[in-house]
Amino acid sequence: MSENLNYVDWFRHSSPYINAHRGKTFVLMIPGEAFEHPSFSGIIHDLALLDSLGIRLVLVQGARPQIDRALSNRRLSSQIEDGYRVTPYDQLLDVIQASAAVRVQLEAQLSMGLSNTPMANARLKVCSGNYVVARPLGVVDGIDYGHSGEVRRIDTDAIFRLLEDDNMVLLPHLGFSPTGEVFNLKAEDVATQAAIQLRADKLIIFTEEEGIYNTEGELYSELLANDGELLLHEKQLPPHTHGALEACVAAVRNQVPRAHIISFKNNGSLIQELFTREGAGTMVDEDSYEKLRPAVIDDVGGMMQLLAPLEEKGILVRRSRELLENEIDRFQVIERDGAIVACAALYPFEQEHAGELACLAVSPNYRGSNRGERLLTGIEREAKRMGLDTLFLLTTRTAHWFMERGFKPSTLDSLPTKKQALYNYQRNSKIFLKRL
C-alpha cells in the first residue's frame, strides 16, 4: 500500500513537468557505447513514453566503439586529434557501415510493440535522411582530416515538417555535402547544431558518467555556463565528459534554454532528470533557473517545512508561523520549481550600522551547489544597500562554514546592546562577525 502511495505522490508531483514539456522539442544525443549497455532497452522505453506525452524528439546517434571495432577487424588504426577522428578515404566505408548498423538497431528497437512490454501499442514513426549538410575539416595544423567534417547547416524545414507529422527524427553522425560527399562528424557537434538551429527547448546528452563532478567528487545538479567554461578551460574532465559539457555550454550560449548531461548506465535517468525536482544528472543553464528573491507571505508554509528539521535538532531557534509571517520582510528565499529550498534573514540594527544574519537554511536535498553562498551574497548585498557595515551571527553547529566565508570569532560585547539583552546563555551560541 505504501509503495502505491509513493507512486501516486510521485506522479502528482510530476504533473507540472508533464504540462511544461508537452509540445516542446528535445534533442537527445545517444553515444555508441549506450547501444551496447544493458540499460539501453530502458532508454528506448523512456523515449516511447516521452513521445506519448507529446514531446517532439530529435535523436542523434554516435558510433565510436562500433567504428573502432570495424577498423580493428581490418587491422586498421584510428587517429584522434582534438576530439575528432581522422577519416581517410580507405576508412570511410567502415565508418558508414558501422553507423548504418547502429541506426538500424535503433530503428528496430523503436519499432517494438509487444503487448507485455512498455512499448505496447507505441506505434512510433522514425525518420532519417540527409538533413545534415556538412563540409570538410580540411587540413588543421598540418593534419589532413580526410573525410572528417563539421556541420554546415541543419535542414530545419524538413525536420519541422516531420515533427509536425508526429515523427521522431533520427540524425546520424554523418553529414552530406552539396558535391555529394559523405563526412564523418562528431555526434556532439551534430546534436549541438541541431538543438541551436531547431531552437530546441532542451539538449540532452547521454554519457557514461552521471554528469559533472566537482573536485570533492560531488555531482553538480546545476551548472551555469560561466562555471562550465571554467571547467573546460582547466581540461581536467574525461574526454567524453569534456565533449558533452562543451556541447551543452555551446547550446545554452546560443539560445537553447537548458542542456542536460545524464548517464545511459542508470536505468530511468532520463525520466528522473525531466520529471523530478532533484533530477539525475547535471543541468547546464545560461542563468540559474532557481530564483533568489525576497520572501512573501505565501512562502511561509514552505519555509516552515524547510526549517522544522533544523529546529528539531536544535540547530535553529524555533519560529512560529505567526512570527515568520510578521518578519517575512526580513527573509530572502531560493525558489526551485515552486518549492522553497533555502532561506535566510537579515535583522538590521541601524544605530550600530550592524545586521544579524539569521535562519540560514538549505534543504538537505539541495546542498553542495553553492546555494548557501548565494544566500549569503544576497544578504550581504542587502546589508550594504541599507548602509550597514557589519554582519554578525550566532551559531551552535555551523561555525566553520561561516569562518571559511570571512566571519571572525567575536564576543558578546561586540553585539548591539538590544541583541546582548536577548542573548540565550542556555544555548551558549558562538558569535561571529564580518566587516562588509
Side-chain angles (χ1 to χ4, degrees), residues 390-410:
T390 302
L391 202 60
F392 69 87
L393 62 92
L394 284 71
T395 182
T396 58
R397 302 275 292 276
T398 55
H400 278 259
W401 190 89
F402 291 105
M403 291 172 67
E404 292 169 2
R405 287 150 183 83
F407 285 84
K408 307 292 185 184
S410 191

Side-chain angles (χ1 to χ4, degrees), residues 123-159:
R123 295 189 179 89
L124 301 177
K125 296 185 294 182
V126 186
C127 293
S128 183
N130 58 340
Y131 308 127
V132 180
V133 181
R135 59 186 166 216
L137 282 171
V139 179
V140 182
D141 295 331
I143 299 172
D144 186 352
Y145 281 83
H147 278 262
S148 291
E150 58 186 357
V151 178
R152 183 175 179 180
R153 66 178 177 84
I154 304 292
D155 190 348
T156 56
D157 289 340
I159 293 174

Side-chain angles (χ1 to χ4, degrees), residues 30 34 39-48 206 263-264 267 270:
I30 307 174
S39 65
F40 180 63
S41 61
I43 295 175
I44 294 296
H45 297 159
D46 293 343
L47 292 175
F206 285 95
S263 175
F264 60 76
N267 189 22
L270 179 59

Side-chain angles (χ1 to χ4, degrees), residues 242-407:
H242 183 100
L245 180 57
E246 194 172 42
C248 289
V249 170
V252 300
R253 288 295 195 208
N254 287 276
Q255 312 305 314
V256 177
R258 295 176 184 175
H260 305 256
I261 301 172
I262 58 176
S263 175
F264 60 76
K265 293 182 176 180
N266 295 341
N267 189 22
S269 61
L270 179 59
I271 300 302
Q272 188 177 345
E273 179 71 6
L274 294 176
F275 297 101
T276 68
R277 287 198 184 107
E278 297 79 11
T282 298
M283 186 184 76
V284 181
D285 197 1
E286 178 71 16
D287 295 304
S288 178
Y289 75 116
E290 295 181 346
K291 299 177 183 177
L292 173 62
R293 58 170 176 77
V296 296
I297 198 70
D298 290 340
D299 297 326
V300 170
M303 291 166 59
M304 292 187 68
Q305 291 181 5
L306 173 66
L307 300 175
L310 299 174
E311 293 172 350
E312 291 174 2
K313 294 179 180 179
I315 298 174
L316 295 178
V317 177
R318 289 188 179 275
R319 286 173 167 81
S320 65
R321 174 180 284 273
E322 183 180 6
L323 182 61
L324 285 174
E325 290 176 350
N326 289 335
E327 298 181 345
I328 195 67
D329 60 331
R330 303 296 188 197
F331 281 82
Q332 293 189 30
V333 297
I334 292 179
E335 177 189 358
R336 179 187 176 104
D337 291 333
I340 304 302
V341 300
C343 70
L346 172 64
Y347 295 89
F349 294 82
E350 295 176 353
Q351 287 187 345
E352 292 88 346
H353 300 287
E356 180 184 7
L357 169 63
C359 207
L360 195 155
V362 179
S363 169
N365 295 328
Y366 298 96
R367 291 173 187 164
S369 296
N370 300 321
R371 294 179 179 88
E373 285 87 345
R374 287 180 60 202
L375 274 170
L376 178 58
T377 300
I379 292 294
E380 290 179 353
R381 187 184 302 118
E382 177 65 11
K384 291 177 182 177
R385 188 192 66 79
M386 298 175 68
L388 310 180
D389 53 30
T390 302
L391 202 60
F392 69 87
L393 62 92
L394 284 71
T395 182
T396 58
R397 302 275 292 276
T398 55
H400 278 259
W401 190 89
F402 291 105
M403 291 172 67
E404 292 169 2
R405 287 150 183 83
F407 285 84

